[in-house]
């Protein structure tokens, strides 16, 4: 990952880097890997995330279609 530093503005470059890392999910991945997660717990978490994503998609569809 690469960020351009313009006009010696390191703070702005750092903000841009953090935003890119956030979008890529690096911080979330680091948080998950801090400690061991049992495979059964991982499956359960991933299923819950999938359900949340699906419900969010349905809510967006309902808003768009006006139900």
């Amino acid at each position: 990952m690469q960020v351009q530093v313009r006009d010696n503005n390191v703070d702005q470059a750092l903000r841009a880097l953090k935003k890119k890392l956030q979008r890529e999910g690096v911080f979330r991945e680091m948080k998950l890997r801090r400690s061991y997660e049992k495979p059964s717990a991982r499956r359960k978490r991933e299923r819950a995330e999938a359900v949340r994503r699906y419900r969010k998609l349905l809510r967006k569809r309902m808003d768009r279609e006006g139900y």
Side-chain angles (χ1 to χ4, degrees):
M1 192 162 300
Q2 193 172 8
V3 176
Q4 296 286 332
V5 178
R6 297 185 184 131
D7 301 327
N8 284 335
N9 195 346
V10 177
D11 292 331
Q12 186 177 5
L14 263 175
R15 276 200 313 268
L17 177 64
K18 285 182 182 178
K19 191 179 289 186
K20 282 186 178 185
L21 290 172
Q22 182 73 32
R23 272 193 221 123
E24 292 290 320
V26 173
F27 293 126
R28 187 169 183 277
E29 185 75 21
M30 285 172 31
K31 182 180 175 186
L32 288 173
R33 289 177 184 253
R34 276 191 195 136
S35 60
Y36 178 74
E37 186 177 22
K38 289 173 35 180
S40 60
R42 188 178 130 243
R43 283 192 298 270
K44 185 176 179 180
R45 176 182 51 80
E46 287 177 350
R47 279 193 200 116
E49 288 173 358
V51 167
R52 251 190 316 274
R53 281 193 308 269
Y54 181 69
R55 286 183 181 158
K56 184 177 180 179
L57 177 69
L58 284 180
R59 276 195 312 271
K60 285 185 176 185
R61 278 187 190 163
M62 292 296 181
D63 288 343
R64 219 178 308 129
E65 294 174 5
Y67 286 104

